[in-house]
Amino acid sequence: MRTKIDIALVREGKLNIQGWAFGKDPETPVKLYVKDAAGNRIEDASIGSVRRDSVVEAYFGNYVKEHGAIRRELGFDIDVPFQHGDTCYLFICVDGRRRRYKFNDKIIEEFNSHAHKKREKLLALLNWETVEVSLETLKKDGLRVLFRKGIHKIQGVQEDFDYNEWFEKTRTTDEELAHQREEFAKLSEGRPLFSIVIPAFKTPEKFLRRMLKSIEEQTYGNFQVYVADATPYDGLVWMKEDGKKPKEVLQEFAKKDPRFHFSVLEKNLGISDNTNAAIELALQAAPFSAPHFIVLADHDDELAPEALWECARVVREHPAAKVIYTDEDKIDFEDAYRFEPHFKTDYNPDLLRSVNYVCHLFVMEEGLLRSIAEKDEAGNVVYERKQYDGAQDYDLILRATEKAQEIEKEEIAQHGLSKEDQKLLSEARFTSSNIFHIQKALYHWRSHQMSTAANPEAKLYAFDAGARAIYDHCVRIGLPVEKVEKGITYGFYHVKYRTEEPLISVIIPNKDHTKDLDKAIRSLIKGNYKNLEFIVVENNSEEDETWQYYDAIQKEFPAPAAWEADDAKAGGVTTTAADMKACSLEHPVVRVVKWVSDQGFNYSAINNFGVQYAHGDYLLFMNNDIELIEPDSLYEMLSYVQREDVGICGARLLYPDEVIQHAGVVVGFGGIAGAAFVGIHDKELTYMHRAKCIQDYSAVTAACMLSKRSVFDAVGGFTEELAVAFNDVDFCMKVRALGKLVVYNPYAKFYHYESKSRGMEDTPEKVQRFNGEIVKFAKRWPEIIREGDPYYNPALTFMKSNFVLKDLDKENVGKPFHMDILDGIV
């Protein structure tokens, strides 16, 4: 026999035990009973059976293929009366064998401990599926990748918090929920109304009931529920185990609570039109005196009890709100396990064009929704468009957010930013004045735990619909989209834009290390982008061969004669802007300019000096230890920087062993700022595939960074007070304060050999200087360190770069990682 206990929790005077059991034959009944400490059977224990599809798939996949579906449920769900100090025993019997499980306060506490969860995860790795995945990785990527993945997997199990335990420790307390209900009762005006629209179709009773119950129990009570039930009742074969039919459950809720409404549709119209029918039910009830918002929800998911309270708080604090979305997680079909929490960024338009990261919970202001409504061929008003079925929510979210941004631009043009938003902008924290993200997992998406292993190609139509939705969105807002390709996997996208070939001036500081410099220059020249000007800023080189190399490389790639006169002038380049835009070189140009200073190394000053000699409208700041990997990298970066709303684009940088060195910068990592996903192999999966998604960040590294010359001039270049550290982050923050986006593009890929010219910060003097620049940076940008990076979620740790949950033993959710040297500043 095989048995396993998944859940053992005491709630409201009952011990809930969930798990599974079976014998040699899965159809053989399993006997379950519970006894107390004295050995007496507990007669009022409730023992029920539940589906465990994951167990069937794992142990009886071949059996199902040969014999058909297993008729008996392998899972069990038991409720036993239980008080503090009690002891009871669960007995599981099958095939003439009996297994006993003991439960008391100590055992239950240990069962739910972090240590137990870690053991369970480690044991879960010991299966044939792990062997198959390992062999596939070894064959495809080699031993080094397999080894690194294995180490990181074990480290993750050992170090990272189990989400179920994390959720229990951070969930809103019963006392706070009660306080919210009390506060709602006191509200007399300004209470926004939320209409929750739900398309239902053959929903099993327990799932529909859980969804409706989760709405009924909201701490914010000003809501309406509108369900469009598309279940085909004529001729419907309804299974007994599915409980009451959907309309019977809906009638029950509507009868006891006038806030619940439903309509049974004459036929199933498909997911888009079923949703449209539910939306139309809500809008037919309008107008309402209060601000009115439409909330999208699925028929078998659940809302956190404070979901609408948090949405109402946003509306009350920000009356201009048009769109609200929240974080989310997943629950299995027995409510036994929470998994895959998605802690999101604030509004991130480029990430939204890479993947539908918004998803659930999604809330729209009524007027916004009406403004994007269309009519179909039959003249019916539609909100979700069935030509995008499979990605209908994605299409709706794209249209809603673009309309919200259009409204925002009109408001700014007429009235300017509000004082609050002006402050956020000056602090480089502004993302939108009317699209708001709530940093809490308020939506629980019911999903099979094994669903992530399902064949994604089974829903290629959904991927294609998503690609069309993105392409059409780009066309509508005037982006020069060329095509939308498949990203890292199905459901993720790579948007490519058309671009011309303006002159790019590549600024490279250098001190000796000519072999590295030569590799950096020639790797770019071998790439597909040819209109390049290299400006090597010589910084106190000491080796004779360096000067010999400078002479040789400039002769090999000579500058136009007219430029020599420019270089000789103290003010640098005098070519007009029109001339620069028209400039197209017949071959790449390499020029060496000499920076002289007795103040020591100053990265900011060196680059500012080099820019004086640039002829291009676009500036590529690049270290001398960079090597191009992807030939189209500069096209990728330029295609984003050419957009009016973008000021900077950064690249994915790898160490020579294919380990990630940079995939965007998060302000707050390590207490100040750091690169994302450092140390993870490029073949490994990252949190929500973020390392492989084009997205907006607060900053990227200047080891390889493309910017507009106009933007560089507007912010005054690099801050020379920051000589060595955080000058690139500071530069990005200044650009963000202009209202421009900083984009990370993983399809622009380079090797980075990590600051060979300057050396490490390994002497007392260098460490002191580094700490001094931490303080300088923090004084310039204290708010974002204190309040948090808008492109990073406060539920995730600042102690690592891999986007895992905060370590609750060392960090507080919503609080920055503390650095002693920043006391009194942040």
Side-chain angles (χ1 to χ4, degrees):
M1 66 184 297
R2 299 200 66 153
T3 65
K4 187 172 183 296
I5 304 297
D6 291 321
I7 299 290
L9 286 173
V10 177
R11 289 178 181 168
E12 299 178 354
K14 289 185 178 181
L15 168 63
N16 178 244
I17 308 169
Q18 296 183 31
W20 48 265
F22 56 83
K24 294 179 181 178
D25 184 338
E27 299 288 6
T28 301
V30 173
K31 186 178 181 181
L32 302 143
Y33 57 91
V34 184
K35 290 187 176 182
D36 60 21
N40 301 312
R41 185 172 294 198
I42 301 176
E43 299 297 341
D44 54 347
S46 170
I47 300 176
S49 60
V50 293
R51 293 174 59 181
R52 281 299 167 94
D53 294 339
S54 58
V55 177
V56 173
E57 292 175 13
Y59 292 100
F60 298 108
N62 291 332
Y63 181 96
V64 171
K65 291 178 183 177
E66 295 176 7
H67 302 90
I70 296 172
R71 294 183 296 275
R72 188 182 72 82
E73 305 295 1
L74 303 186
F76 55 81
D77 187 341
I78 302 172
D79 282 319
V80 185
F82 193 92
Q83 298 297 328
H84 179 66
D86 286 354
T87 296
C88 68
Y89 300 88
L90 168 65
F91 293 87
I92 304 176
C93 310
V94 66
D95 294 340
R97 301 179 65 189
R98 185 178 75 170
R99 186 163 293 169
R100 186 188 77 164
Y101 289 93
K102 180 180 179 180
F103 296 95
N104 58 30
D105 292 338
K106 183 178 179 180
I107 291 172
I108 294 169
E109 181 180 0
E110 182 179 317
F111 183 87
N112 291 289
S113 69
H114 189 35
H116 176 79
K117 299 294 184 183
K118 287 196 293 187
R119 288 195 298 272
E120 291 285 297
K121 286 185 176 181
L122 286 170
L123 289 173
L125 295 176
L126 304 177
N127 56 42
W128 183 247
E129 182 183 4
T130 301
V131 175
E132 289 181 330
V133 171
S134 299
L135 290 174
E136 183 179 347
T137 299
L138 179 64
K139 181 179 179 181
K140 183 179 179 182
D141 300 318
L143 182 61
R144 175 176 290 182
V145 175
L146 174 62
F147 176 76
R148 187 173 289 273
K149 280 187 174 181
I151 292 297
H152 285 169
K153 190 75 173 178
I154 294 172
Q155 284 178 338
V157 170
Q158 290 293 334
E159 299 173 6
D160 299 338
F161 253 83
D162 172 76
Y163 178 60
N164 284 277
E165 182 179 1
W166 195 95
F167 177 83
E168 289 299 324
K169 287 178 177 290
T170 59
R171 70 188 305 171
T172 304
T173 64
D174 291 342
E175 291 77 13
E176 175 58 26
L177 294 177
H179 176 70
Q180 289 176 9
R181 291 188 175 94
E182 291 173 1
E183 289 300 306
F184 171 75
K186 297 176 184 177
L187 295 175
S188 58
E189 58 183 30
R191 303 192 309 176
L193 172 67
F194 296 96
S195 291
I196 305 168
V197 298
I198 305 171
F201 180 76
K202 295 184 178 180
T203 320
E205 177 188 1
K206 63 179 181 180
F207 299 145
L208 181 58
R209 187 175 294 278
R210 285 174 182 171
M211 165 49 91
L212 298 178
K213 191 71 174 175
S214 76
I215 299 173
E216 184 180 55
E217 294 176 347
Q218 289 296 300
T219 60
Y220 182 87
N222 197 25
F223 64 79
Q224 301 282 327
V225 181
Y226 299 91
V227 183
D229 180 17
T231 304
Y233 290 104
D234 291 341
L236 174 68
V237 177
W238 194 252
M239 306 302 290
K240 182 179 179 181
E241 58 266 27
D242 287 331
K244 293 182 178 179
K245 297 175 182 178
K247 66 179 179 182
E248 295 172 338
V249 178
L250 294 169
Q251 287 169 345
E252 176 188 328
F253 275 82
K255 185 176 181 180
K256 69 178 181 179
D257 191 332
R259 296 174 298 180
F260 286 79
H261 313 266
F262 74 98
S263 173
V264 176
L265 304 182
E266 294 182 0
K267 63 178 181 178
N268 178 21
L269 304 173
I271 182 61
S272 293
D273 282 342
N274 290 346
T275 303
N276 289 335
I279 292 173
E280 198 58 35
L281 282 174
L283 294 185
Q284 284 175 358
F288 298 100
S289 58
H292 184 210
F293 289 81
I294 306 297
V295 183
L296 299 186
D298 289 341
H299 59 166
D300 54 358
D301 299 337
E302 296 180 28
L303 304 185
E306 71 273 29
L308 296 184
W309 172 270
E310 293 293 343
C311 292
R313 179 184 58 79
V314 169
V315 176
R316 289 171 62 85
E317 293 177 359
H318 305 282
K322 298 296 181 183
V323 169
I324 303 169
Y325 65 94
T326 76
D327 298 335
E328 62 190 282
D329 59 22
K330 294 179 181 176
I331 50 176
D332 70 2
F333 285 98
E334 280 79 45
D335 275 353
Y337 190 72
R338 296 180 185 275
F339 60 108
E340 290 186 16
H342 188 181
F343 292 111
K344 308 168 186 177
T345 89
D346 288 355
Y347 180 55
N348 195 320
D350 285 292
L351 182 59
L352 185 56
R353 287 187 278 268
S354 296
V355 60
N356 180 11
Y357 83 90
V358 169
C359 208
H360 302 297
L361 185 66
F362 184 64
V363 182
M364 294 168 289
E365 189 262 337
E366 177 198 335
L368 177 77
L369 180 60
R370 289 185 184 275
S371 71
I372 61 173
E374 297 180 357
K375 288 190 176 181
D376 62 16
E377 295 177 354
N380 301 310
V381 177
V382 297
Y383 307 94
E384 291 200 335
R385 303 187 292 185
K386 61 184 177 182
Q387 62 264 42
Y388 298 97
D389 270 356
Q392 69 285 338
D393 287 349
Y394 198 178
D395 172 61
L396 180 65
I397 289 169
L398 287 168
R399 288 187 290 130
T401 53
E402 72 190 48
K403 184 63 177 179
Q405 290 296 276
E406 179 185 322
I407 293 171
E408 178 184 285
K409 290 178 181 178
E410 292 173 355
E411 286 293 318
I412 292 174
Q414 292 181 19
H415 309 292
L417 282 173
S418 67
K419 289 184 178 180
E420 178 187 6
D421 288 338
Q422 287 177 16
K423 183 174 183 296
L424 289 173
L425 182 63
S426 69
E427 297 167 357
R429 296 195 296 128
F430 179 76
T431 57
S432 173
S433 65
N434 59 18
I435 300 174
F436 293 94
H437 163 224
I438 298 173
Q439 298 171 332
K440 291 184 179 181
L442 301 178
Y443 192 92
H444 309 307
W445 190 356
R446 196 172 306 282
S447 179
H448 199 295
Q449 292 182 52
M450 300 292 287
S451 63
T452 53
N455 179 13
E457 295 188 18
K459 290 190 175 182
L460 276 179
Y461 75 94
F463 165 73
D464 292 338
R468 285 188 283 108
I470 296 168
Y471 185 93
D472 294 347
H473 155 78
C474 291
V475 171
R476 285 193 301 270
I477 64 175
L479 294 180
V481 60
E482 181 178 33
K483 57 183 174 180
V484 179
E485 299 179 336
K486 175 174 169 284
I488 181 174
T489 188
Y490 292 102
F492 290 76
Y493 303 89
H494 175 196
V495 181
K496 303 194 75 170
Y497 299 116
R498 298 182 300 276
T499 181
E500 297 178 353
E501 283 197 18
L503 178 64
I504 295 178
S505 297
V506 186
I507 316 296
I508 309 178
N510 186 69
K511 178 181 179 181
D512 297 318
H513 293 278
T514 53
K515 290 184 179 179
D516 296 321
L517 175 62
D518 191 63
K519 182 185 291 185
I521 292 173
R522 294 186 188 278
S523 71
L524 248 62
I525 290 174
K526 289 178 182 178
N528 292 336
Y529 198 93
K530 301 301 183 182
N531 197 15
L532 296 171
E533 170 197 23
F534 292 87
I535 301 170
V536 178
V537 187
E538 156 56 30
N539 166 34
N540 301 311
S541 291
E542 299 172 351
E543 299 172 2
D544 291 340
E545 65 182 73
T546 300
W547 302 97
Q548 295 169 8
Y549 171 78
Y550 288 161
D551 288 340
I553 195 71
Q554 289 182 97
K555 288 178 181 177
E556 185 177 355
F557 301 102
W563 288 11
E564 298 296 333
D566 273 345
D567 292 346
K569 296 178 181 178
V573 172
T574 59
T575 313
T576 66
D579 291 337
M580 287 193 283
K581 286 184 178 180
C583 186
S584 181
L585 298 174
E586 295 180 1
H587 60 77
V589 165
V590 177
R591 294 183 299 143
V592 179
V593 298
K594 190 174 181 180
W595 179 77
V596 179
S597 173
D598 57 2
Q599 300 300 312
F601 179 83
N602 187 313
Y603 179 86
S604 297
I606 290 170
N607 278 285
N608 290 344
F609 178 78
V611 169
Q612 296 179 44
Y613 296 88
H615 291 81
D617 264 357
Y618 294 88
L619 306 172
L620 179 67
F621 297 100
M622 194 172 89
N623 285 11
N624 64 349
D625 53 358
I626 293 289
E627 181 182 1
L628 179 73
I629 298 175
E630 292 293 339
D632 278 341
S633 291
L634 293 189
Y635 279 110
E636 285 285 352
M637 298 172 80
L638 179 64
S639 70
Y640 281 81
V641 175
Q642 72 178 354
R643 285 172 22 196
E644 178 60 30
D645 60 334
V646 175
I648 294 172
C649 185
R652 175 162 47 126
L653 305 183
L654 308 179
Y655 290 114
D657 60 358
E658 305 293 324
V659 169
I660 294 174
Q661 188 268 341
H662 171 270
V665 170
V666 173
V667 179
F669 271 1
I672 188 73
F677 304 112
V678 175
I680 296 176
H681 197 281
D682 198 43
K683 295 288 186 179
E684 290 186 72
L685 298 181
T686 55
Y687 184 73
M688 300 298 167
H689 297 304
R690 289 282 295 272
K692 302 289 179 70
C693 288
I694 298 170
Q695 62 201 279
D696 306 313
Y697 268 107
S698 285
V700 293
T701 177
C704 188
M705 169 200 288
L706 185 67
S707 181
K708 293 184 180 77
R709 174 64 183 267
S710 59
V711 168
F712 180 89
D713 292 339
V715 300
F718 290 95
T719 301
E720 297 187 11
E721 183 185 9
L722 296 168
V724 176
F726 309 111
N727 35 50
D728 49 358
V729 182
D730 174 79
F731 177 68
C732 290
M733 299 286 283
K734 291 192 295 184
V735 171
R736 288 274 297 120
L738 283 182
K740 301 293 185 182
L741 296 173
V742 174
V743 177
Y744 160 70
N745 188 334
Y747 300 99
K749 192 162 72 167
F750 300 79
Y751 287 124
H752 185 202
Y753 298 95
E754 190 64 50
S755 303
K756 287 185 176 179
S757 295
R758 183 168 54 85
M760 302 297 291
E761 303 291 340
D762 55 1
T763 67
E765 294 78 13
K766 288 183 177 180
V767 170
Q768 183 179 4
R769 179 180 63 187
F770 181 78
N771 288 340
E773 298 202 352
I774 288 177
V775 172
K776 290 176 184 176
F777 178 85
K779 285 182 176 178
R780 291 175 60 80
W781 307 101
E783 296 87 359
I784 195 169
I785 297 175
R786 181 175 57 249
E787 302 297 334
D789 188 326
Y791 297 116
Y792 190 70
N793 196 293
L796 305 176
T797 184
F798 286 117
M799 299 173 64
K800 301 178 184 179
S801 66
N802 57 351
F803 287 48
V804 295
L805 295 171
K806 265 189 167 63
D807 185 337
L808 298 179
D809 296 329
K810 301 176 182 178
E811 298 177 275
N812 294 319
V813 174
K815 297 291 182 65
F817 181 72
H818 179 67
M819 295 183 75
D820 291 340
I821 63 173
L822 299 184
D823 285 345
I825 299 173
V826 175

